Amino acid sequence: MKPAPFEYSRPDTVEAAITLLAQGNGDAKVLAGGQSLVPMMNLRLAQPGILVDVNRIPGHDYVRRQGNELIIGFLARHEDVKQSKVVREACPLITAAYEFVAHGTIRNRGTLCGNLCHADPSSEMPAVMLALGAMMEVQGPAGTRQVPAAQFFIGLYETALRSDEMLVQLRIPVAPAGQGWGFHEVSTRKGDFAYVCVGALLTVQGCRIATAAVCAAGIGGRAVRLDSVERSLVGQPAAEQTFQRAGEEARRNVSPSGDLMVSGEYRSELIEVLTRRALADAAGRAN
C-alpha cells in the first residue's frame, strides 16, 4: 500500500505546471484533489515518475456565470460546485447529479476537472458534461485549445488530453428557459460509483418534445450520449408512453457487460428503467 518512488513539484503558475508536464515526457501527472490518483498510486495501478501539485496555483477555484456560460476553474472542489447557487440556477442538471457523487470527505477535496480527466466510465460528471454540451478548455505549451465534451472522453480512463496539457477550465452553456432535467442512478450505496446512471434534458413546446439530450454512464468504457433515444423523442408527446418507448430504445442500443457486482442483463434493465424515470422528471420540470 505504498506508491512507487516519484518526484514531487509544486508550481505556482499554470505555465510552470505545463513546463513540468512537458519535461516529464509522459511520466508526469497532475495532482489536484488526488481522490482517485493517490489510491491508484498506493495500489501501484498508477506509477507516475513526477507529481505536479497544482493546489498552490492561485485564482483557479472559481465558479461563475459569464454571459450565457457557466465557467468552472480547475481547482473548484466538488462540494463548492454542488452547493453553488450559480450552478443550481444556470445548470440544474449538475446539481441534481451531485446528489449521487461520492461522499462528503471526498467532495471536500476532489475537483470536478480532476474527476473529468480521470474519466471513470461509471462516474456521473462525464455523462453530465456530454448532455450539457460542455467545452473543455485545455492548455499546453502551444497555447489553449477548446475540446467539446463529445471529443474529450475517448475510452476507459482515457481522454483527449496530451501528456503536456492541463484541463484549465470548463465552459458550460447555461440552460435555456423552460428546460427540464432529470437524473437517476443505481449503485451499491449512495455515493458509490454507478451501476448505471442516466441524465436527461428536455424542452417542450405545445405538449410535444422540442429538444432532448440523454446521457448515460456505467454501460461501457466511457460515458455516452444516447443519440438514437434523443432522435426518437423529438416531436413526440411528452407523455408516459413516449418515455416507455424511449427506455426500450435505450435498452436495444446498448450492450453493457457484467462484472463482479452486477450482470450485463441487470444493467440492460437499469438503462431502460432509469431512462424512463429521468425523462419523466425532465418533462415534469419543463415549462
Side-chain angles (χ1 to χ4, degrees), residues 68-238:
N68 290 322
E69 290 184 316
L70 176 67
I71 312 295
I72 300 177
F74 66 84
L75 283 179
R77 309 292 169 178
H78 287 302
E79 191 65 19
D80 292 333
V81 180
K82 181 178 185 289
Q83 299 298 336
S84 170
K85 181 181 178 181
V86 173
V87 173
R88 186 164 58 252
E89 294 176 348
C91 296
L93 180 63
I94 296 177
T95 304
Y98 258 119
E99 291 302 315
F100 300 91
V101 174
H103 307 279
T105 52
I106 292 173
R107 291 195 304 268
N108 283 338
R109 188 63 186 167
T111 63
L112 173 54
C113 284
N115 170 267
L116 298 175
C117 291
H118 184 56
D120 190 293
S122 295
S123 183
E124 297 85 359
M125 285 301 150
V128 170
M129 293 302 126
L130 287 171
L132 293 170
M135 188 69 71
M136 279 52 176
E137 187 169 303
V138 172
Q139 187 170 336
T144 60
R145 62 189 181 103
Q146 308 294 321
V147 183
Q151 299 173 17
F152 187 79
F153 303 105
I154 295 175
L156 183 65
Y157 303 114
E158 184 182 7
T159 72
L161 273 178
R162 300 170 188 144
S163 62
D164 58 357
E165 290 181 323
M166 281 179 58
L167 174 59
V168 292
Q169 69 176 8
L170 306 173
R171 308 183 72 92
I172 305 167
V174 170
Q179 185 182 71
W181 69 94
F183 192 92
H184 281 267
E185 175 176 315
V186 171
S187 58
T188 302
R189 57 178 178 170
K190 189 174 181 180
D192 286 1
F193 283 116
Y195 295 157
V196 173
C197 65
V198 177
L201 297 168
L202 292 179
T203 58
V204 178
Q205 295 178 354
C207 298
R208 290 188 177 271
I209 297 167
T211 65
V214 185
C215 62
I219 59 175
R222 61 183 177 88
V224 295
R225 282 277 292 264
L226 300 178
D227 297 329
S228 67
V229 174
E230 295 171 1
R231 291 192 296 270
S232 75
L233 287 164
V234 175
Q236 298 301 309

